[in-house]
Amino acid sequence: MKKVILSAMMLIGLAFTAQAQDISKNALGLRLGDNDGFGGEISYQRGLSKNNRLELDLGFRNSNNVDAFKLTGIYQWVWNIDGGFNWYAGVGGGLGSWSYDYRANGTQFKDNGTFVFVAGDLGIEYNFKEVPIQLSLDIRPELYFNSDNYRDDNFGPDLALGIRYKF
């Protein structure tokens, strides 16, 4: 049992002492997720230090029956795996607004509202050295408040692919 605890502590220590690669000061691009919510988001990352950054994402949906937007802010910690590969974890939250209006069998269904949420973020990314491009894959579980009706058509834990231009 002592060996298991010692091994776990050493592994955690190694993770927190690993040198982070310098992350870009700014990155702008798209975060493309599944389409059970917003699907795509405009994504901006701002480097705050050698291994911390802020990510802001704006999602919007404009379809025949549903109009919505969602603004997300995530504070992320970034650790280098090897070369251009990094992994990251973060916490944050956001807010949004939605409305739907559709007809079925002669009956009109109409509703709208706002919501707030907290979110976590866990992902992996690759930063190309030859070109200023970053590719990422992450999962972002979200916990919504004050919008039970809209949460029924939830955004879920969002799995997304990101592509950003670093500048």
Side-chain angles (χ1 to χ4, degrees), residues 111-127:
D111 200 1
N112 61 44
T114 59
F115 57 89
V116 294
F117 63 94
V118 295
D121 198 19
L122 181 63
I124 188 169
E125 68 186 20
Y126 183 74
N127 292 284

Side-chain angles (χ1 to χ4, degrees), residues 64-125:
N64 291 338
N65 301 322
V66 179
D67 293 321
F69 84 90
K70 177 173 85 167
L71 179 63
T72 307
I74 303 283
Y75 183 86
Q76 296 174 333
W77 294 269
V78 182
W79 296 276
N80 185 253
I81 297 172
D82 185 36
F85 278 104
N86 295 327
W87 72 278
Y88 55 91
V91 295
L95 57 95
S97 175
W98 59 273
S99 67
Y100 67 83
D101 184 3
Y102 68 96
R103 293 184 185 275
N105 300 327
T107 305
Q108 182 177 13
F109 299 93
K110 191 174 184 176
D111 200 1
N112 61 44
T114 59
F115 57 89
V116 294
F117 63 94
V118 295
D121 198 19
L122 181 63
I124 188 169
E125 68 186 20

